[in-house]
């Protein structure tokens, strides 16, 4: 008999919220990392983000579903990440890019006056 246990909706919700949180973190860091000119530093930041992301996901799945790894956890995480990255994350990236451009123009004008 296939049924829904009490753990499944709770685990789905936690994995979706965790995916949304990581999607927002990725969208906040994205404009900052695109300005990085050194490939080695960018690689290390990406590697650190992936390792941290994996550890947080593993810990959340372990706590939310009592160590039972289910497909719906990965689907919920991906859904939450995609929703946050394409929804509010898109506007965060745009605002940060405009802010970075304004700062670089301000710095350029300031050095030109000196």
């Amino acid at each position: 008999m296939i049924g829904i246990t009490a753990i499944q909706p709770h685990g789905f919700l936690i994995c979706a919220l965790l995916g949304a949180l990581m999607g927002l973190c990725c969208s906040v860091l994205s404009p900052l990392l695109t300005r990085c000119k050194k490939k080695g530093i960018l690689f290390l930041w990406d590697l650190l983000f992936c390792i941290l992301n994996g550890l947080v996901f593993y810990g959340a799945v372990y706590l939310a579903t009592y160590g039972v790894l289910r497909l719906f956890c990965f689907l919920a995480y991906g859904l939450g990440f995609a929703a946050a990255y394409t929804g509010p994350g898109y506007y965060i990236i745009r605002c940060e890019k405009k802010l970075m451009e304004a700062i670089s123009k301000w710095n350029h004008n300031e050095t030109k006056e000196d």
Side-chain angles (χ1 to χ4, degrees), residues 25-43:
C25 288
C26 187
S27 64
V28 167
L29 293 175
S30 179
L32 299 174
L33 294 177
T34 55
R35 296 181 58 87
C36 182
K37 302 294 183 202
K38 295 183 180 180
K39 301 280 185 196
I41 293 174
L42 186 61
F43 174 75

Side-chain angles (χ1 to χ4, degrees), residues 76-88:
Y77 184 82
L79 179 69
F81 188 91
Y85 193 73
T86 59

Side-chain angles (χ1 to χ4, degrees), residues 31-71:
L32 299 174
L33 294 177
T34 55
R35 296 181 58 87
C36 182
K37 302 294 183 202
K38 295 183 180 180
K39 301 280 185 196
I41 293 174
L42 186 61
F43 174 75
L44 288 176
W45 273 108
D46 284 343
L47 184 66
L48 182 66
F49 182 75
C50 288
I51 290 172
L52 178 68
N53 200 1
L55 289 174
V56 168
F57 178 73
Y58 174 74
V61 167
Y62 186 76
L63 293 174
T65 62
Y66 301 110
V68 179
L69 191 60
R70 306 262 174 135
L71 178 64

Side-chain angles (χ1 to χ4, degrees), residues 35 98-114:
R35 296 181 58 87
K98 287 182 182 180
L99 180 67
M100 292 295 205
E101 289 173 2
I103 289 172
S104 66
K105 284 182 184 178
W106 183 67
N107 284 338
H108 182 68
N109 288 339
E110 188 177 276
T111 56
K112 195 182 258 188
E113 291 174 1
D114 290 339

Side-chain angles (χ1 to χ4, degrees), residues 3-17:
I4 296 176
T5 62
I7 297 171
Q8 290 175 349
H10 178 70
F12 185 87
L13 182 64
I14 287 178
C15 290
L17 290 175

